[in-house]
Amino acid sequence: MPLTKPLIEVDHVTKQVSDSTGVLTILHDMTFALAARESVAIVGASGSGKSTLLSIIAGLDVPTSGTVRLAGIDLFKLDEDKRAAVRAKQLGFVFQSFQLLAHLTALENVMLPLELLGRHDARAMARDMLGRVGLGERLSHYPKVLSGGEQQRVALARAFVVDPKVLLADEPTGSLDHATGEKVMQLMFDMNREAGTTLVLVTHDREISVRCERQIRIDAGRIVA
C-alpha cells in the first residue's frame, strides 16, 4: 500500500533577519511533515521561534531559505495574492488576541471569510456555527460587549466555518483565565476532531501540548525534540 502524502511539509526552513548588530537567525533548517487529521503542539519558551514558524506555515511570512508545501502546493512559488487564496480555502486561524473586527457583530465576524469566498449562504452558515459554539443568542453583539471566552468562541466559529483542512492556533488561551481557557480548549479539540482537521498549535503550556498527538519542541530556533 503506498504511503499517504503529508498534508503539510516543512522543508529545510531557515528564517533570518538583519539588524544593527548583524544577521539574526530565528529558525535554523527546520524539516518535518504532518499528516491529514494529525494534531501537533509546537512548544518552547517565549522567543524560541514558535510564532514565526506558524506564520511561515501559513505563508504569512517568507522564509530566507527552504519552503512549505500545503497539500502538495509549494506556498513560496506563489505570489502573495495566490498564497492568500490558498489560506482562504485551506486554513483556519485562532489567535491569542482573538483578532475580531470591532465594528462587526459576532455574526458578521463569522460571515466575513465566507463572504470573501463568495458563499451566498454565509449568513445561515455563520448562524449555525455560532450556535454550535454556544453563542446562538449573541449573534448581534459586538466584540466589546463579549467576554474573553465568548470572543475566542467567535474566533473558533470563524476558523471552522470555512471547513479548513488545517487549523493554526497561536497561544489560543493566552488571554484567558485558566477555567475559561480550559473550556475553550476542550471546545477547540472537540470541533477539530469532528471536522477531521489537521491542528498545529503553538503553546508554552504543557497541559495543553500533551493533548496533541505529537509535540515538536523548539529551543532558540532549532527543533530539539
Side-chain angles (χ1 to χ4, degrees):
M1 181 180 296
L3 296 175
T4 302
K5 190 172 181 64
L7 181 62
I8 299 172
E9 298 170 271
V10 176
D11 188 5
H12 294 287
V13 164
T14 292
K15 178 65 177 181
Q16 296 176 320
V17 296
S18 299
D19 61 17
S20 59
T21 63
V23 176
L24 173 65
T25 301
I26 300 173
L27 301 177
H28 297 259
D29 194 32
M30 291 194 165
T31 296
F32 60 89
L34 303 176
R37 297 176 176 264
E38 191 172 7
S39 61
V40 61
I42 298 174
V43 297
S46 178
S48 60
K50 303 186 303 296
S51 293
T52 298
L53 176 58
L54 199 71
S55 292
I56 290 174
I57 292 173
L60 291 166
D61 196 359
V62 178
T64 305
S65 61
T67 197
V68 173
R69 287 181 289 275
L70 175 61
I73 300 171
D74 189 330
L75 293 181
F76 300 107
K77 287 185 177 178
L78 306 177
D79 62 27
E80 175 50 35
D81 288 343
K82 290 181 179 176
R83 286 202 301 274
V86 170
R87 282 194 294 272
K89 293 178 180 178
Q90 308 272 23
L91 304 179
F93 297 89
V94 181
F95 302 95
Q96 176 178 336
S97 56
F98 316 134
Q99 298 288 338
L100 301 179
L101 297 179
H103 65 286
L104 299 182
T105 65
L107 181 62
E108 291 166 342
N109 266 284
V110 179
M111 287 173 61
L112 183 59
L114 294 167
E115 291 175 329
L116 293 174
L117 290 173
R119 293 293 300 258
H120 298 297
D121 54 351
R123 181 172 294 274
M125 291 181 67
R127 186 186 298 272
D128 178 67
M129 187 59 71
L130 282 166
R132 289 180 61 188
V133 301
L135 294 176
E137 304 301 317
R138 306 286 267 170
L139 303 179
S140 62
H141 289 70
Y142 290 91
K144 67 180 180 181
V145 299
L146 298 174
S147 69
E150 288 172 332
Q151 289 186 63
Q152 196 60 298
R153 281 190 279 159
V154 173
L156 282 174
R158 181 183 59 189
F160 279 105
V161 77
V162 296
D163 193 23
K165 287 185 177 179
V166 179
L167 177 67
L168 303 175
D170 192 358
E171 300 283 7
T173 62
S175 299
L176 305 176
D177 64 77
H178 180 77
T180 302
E182 174 58 31
K183 291 177 181 177
V184 167
M185 288 306 302
Q186 186 61 55
L187 178 62
M188 188 182 79
F189 277 109
D190 287 347
M191 294 178 72
N192 193 73
R193 184 173 57 254
E194 291 169 12
T197 305
T198 299
L199 172 64
V200 184
L201 169 66
V202 163
T203 184
H204 64 272
D205 188 327
R206 187 178 182 280
E207 289 184 21
I208 294 174
S209 69
V210 296
R211 296 173 70 172
C212 293
E213 296 165 342
R214 285 173 62 190
Q215 293 83 43
I216 295 176
R217 184 167 299 280
I218 297 176
D219 183 25
R222 300 180 188 274
I223 295 177
V224 294

